Amino acid sequence: MVGVREPPPVYTAGTSAAQDELLDPRFEVVEAGRGGRYTYHGPGQRIGYVLLDLSRRGRDVRRFVHGLEQWVIATLAGFGVESWAADGRVGTWTRDVDGREAKIGAIGV
């Protein structure tokens, strides 16, 4: 991992973002050019940047994302946080204080 930072409040808009889905647009919206809809980034969150040569690991994006999920799960386990990957969804999941499933890690490539 090359770096970690805490972002200022901002929304990123993916290529599937529809303006009427943004219910509370109180922060800047940045067109991200990635897939997906809106994603909030802000204080308290951490963003990790991974730089690596995919030609040495294979150019399989799904495999790469799955590997990142497993890396996040292992890292969280080191902090005593149980998390998992969910079939059909990208990211990592845990339980919130009420025991409900909650997303703890989003992955954007």
Side-chain angles (χ1 to χ4, degrees), residues 9-13 18-30 38-40:
V10 66
Y11 294 107
T12 57
Q19 185 126 21
D20 63 331
E21 292 177 331
L22 191 57
L23 302 177
D24 189 6
R26 60 183 139 158
F27 305 117
E28 177 185 11
V29 176
V30 176
Y38 289 103
T39 302
Y40 170 75

Side-chain angles (χ1 to χ4, degrees), residues 87-105:
D87 287 339
R89 296 183 282 170
V90 175
T92 53
W93 307 84
T94 191
R95 300 258 175 235
D96 68 13
V97 294
D98 296 324
R100 294 177 298 204
E101 185 179 68
K103 192 171 201 176
I104 193 168

Side-chain angles (χ1 to χ4, degrees), residues 28-98:
E28 177 185 11
V29 176
V30 176
E31 299 290 328
R34 58 159 170 77
R37 293 186 155 84
Y38 289 103
T39 302
Y40 170 75
H41 308 275
Q45 295 178 339
R46 299 293 183 266
I47 299 174
Y49 297 92
V50 179
L51 300 177
L52 51 88
D53 183 353
L54 287 180
S55 65
R56 298 176 80 191
R57 297 176 163 265
R59 294 179 183 226
D60 183 334
V61 173
R62 290 179 192 266
R63 187 172 138 220
F64 175 63
V65 169
H66 178 70
L68 288 175
E69 289 171 336
Q70 295 307 309
W71 176 77
V72 170
I73 290 166
T75 301
L76 290 170
F79 289 100
V81 177
E82 179 188 8
S83 62
W84 57 89
D87 287 339
R89 296 183 282 170
V90 175
T92 53
W93 307 84
T94 191
R95 300 258 175 235
D96 68 13
V97 294
D98 296 324

